[in-house]
Structure formats: C-alpha cells, structure tokens
Amino acid sequence: ELAQPILKSLAEKTAETVDLARFNRDHMVFINQFPGAHRLQAVSAVGDIFPMHCTANGKAALAQLVDETIPKILGDNLRIFTTKTIGKLDEILNEISRIRETSLAIDIEEHTLGICALGMAFKDRARQVYAVSMPIPTVRFATMRARCEPLLVAAVQSIRHKLEQRPRSHDSR
C-alpha cells in the first residue's frame, strides 16, 4: 500500500504500464500493476510469475543479491524465450555487474518479442527484494526510454524514502 500512489503517479506521468513484483525463491511474482494509457500496452496479471534472467524486474532483483547466490537461484538450464535471451551465466553476471553501477535493468525483447522493459529493485526492512518495472512495446521503447528512466529512478527512490520513514510495527507500541 505504501508504493501504490507512487506507482500510479509514474504510470500517469509516462502513460506506460508500471508493475511491482516480489522476488520469490527463483522467480518474480507480480503483486501490483497500473496499466498504461496507450492503446498498445504491455500488461500482465497480478500473480503472474516471471523468470529472473531475462526480465528487467528479475535482473534488477538479482543485482540486489550477492553473486554467490545467483547461480543457485538461476540453476543450470536457463530457458531461452527469444533469440535475444541471454542464456549463459557469465554473460548474466556481467550484466548484473552493469546494473549495479546504474541501478537500472533493461530487457530488450529478451523475455517477449515486441516488449522491452526498464526495471529497478529495492529491499524493504525485512530485506525482501521487490522490483518496479515498466514494460513498453518495442515500437515506443527507444523514444520513451530517456523519459522513463529518470522517472523510474525517482519513483523507486521515493518508495525507499517512505520505507525508511515508516515506523516499524513494534516501534509504534
């Protein structure tokens, strides 16, 4: 509930879909979504499960974890979804290293042809990993990327700030 107004505002500012997903063992689970205003939009259902290695939210979440756990999470056989899916662990680890430098993860048709995405992850006080992502149809991605990136960063920073300001449940007794 803390992130909802921020995510809704991001969707309104960009007219693109905004998703919130939670890391769960070896995948991401969509827990909230605000659909974009465009007629052509990328939407998924709350509860849908997405892979870690080829989605913006999954890669952003992996960048929040220590390197030693990543091979265990991904396993030995990385499923190839499109011709652009990264299927080698060393290449994924290199990409995660780049994500850690910028905090932004990108999926350029790695999971679904015709859909690109931006993603950024954060941890709550319980150290649970969440990711905000913006799936954007490929035909708009190049023009929307520069506009959406700073807005996504600001939104996730705002969520982090609210999490830091929120009193712990045992603190309010």
Side-chain angles (χ1 to χ4, degrees), residues 13-47:
K13 287 176 186 173
T14 62
E16 297 295 350
T17 298
V18 175
D19 298 314
L20 179 64
R22 188 184 82 238
F23 172 61
N24 186 10
R25 289 189 298 254
D26 64 351
H27 57 269
M28 299 299 290
V29 179
F30 279 50
I31 59 173
N32 206 343
Q33 181 178 80
F34 292 91
H38 293 281
R39 184 170 177 197
L40 177 61
Q41 55 182 271
V43 293
S44 299
V46 170

Side-chain angles (χ1 to χ4, degrees), residues 26 52-53 62 69-78 89 92:
D26 64 351
M52 303 293 292
H53 70 290
L62 287 171
T69 63
I70 294 171
K72 295 173 192 166
I73 291 166
L74 295 179
D76 293 329
N77 297 321
L78 298 174
L89 182 61
I92 293 169

Side-chain angles (χ1 to χ4, degrees), residues 13-155:
K13 287 176 186 173
T14 62
E16 297 295 350
T17 298
V18 175
D19 298 314
L20 179 64
R22 188 184 82 238
F23 172 61
N24 186 10
R25 289 189 298 254
D26 64 351
H27 57 269
M28 299 299 290
V29 179
F30 279 50
I31 59 173
N32 206 343
Q33 181 178 80
F34 292 91
H38 293 281
R39 184 170 177 197
L40 177 61
Q41 55 182 271
V43 293
S44 299
V46 170
D48 278 356
I49 294 172
F50 276 64
M52 303 293 292
H53 70 290
C54 61
T55 59
N57 58 18
K59 292 188 287 184
L62 287 171
Q64 296 285 311
L65 307 174
V66 294
D67 281 345
E68 295 75 34
T69 63
I70 294 171
K72 295 173 192 166
I73 291 166
L74 295 179
D76 293 329
N77 297 321
L78 298 174
R79 183 171 170 201
I80 303 299
F81 290 87
T82 75
T83 58
K84 299 180 181 188
T85 303
I86 299 172
K88 295 182 179 175
L89 182 61
D90 60 334
E91 292 177 19
I92 293 169
L93 291 173
N94 286 337
E95 183 160 352
I96 290 168
S97 179
R98 285 190 298 276
I99 293 165
R100 287 179 179 143
E101 293 173 14
T102 64
S103 298
L104 283 169
I106 300 170
D107 162 5
I108 306 288
E109 297 186 305
E110 293 172 52
H111 182 249
T112 305
L113 290 176
I115 299 175
C116 299
L118 300 170
M120 189 171 176
F122 63 93
K123 291 181 181 178
D124 67 8
R125 285 189 171 176
R127 309 293 293 157
Q128 177 66 50
V129 178
Y130 294 85
V132 177
S133 60
M134 300 179 71
I136 302 169
T138 303
V139 297
R140 272 198 313 276
F141 187 73
T143 57
M144 290 301 295
R145 180 176 174 179
R147 181 165 183 251
C148 291
E149 281 183 358
L151 294 171
L152 174 60
V153 169

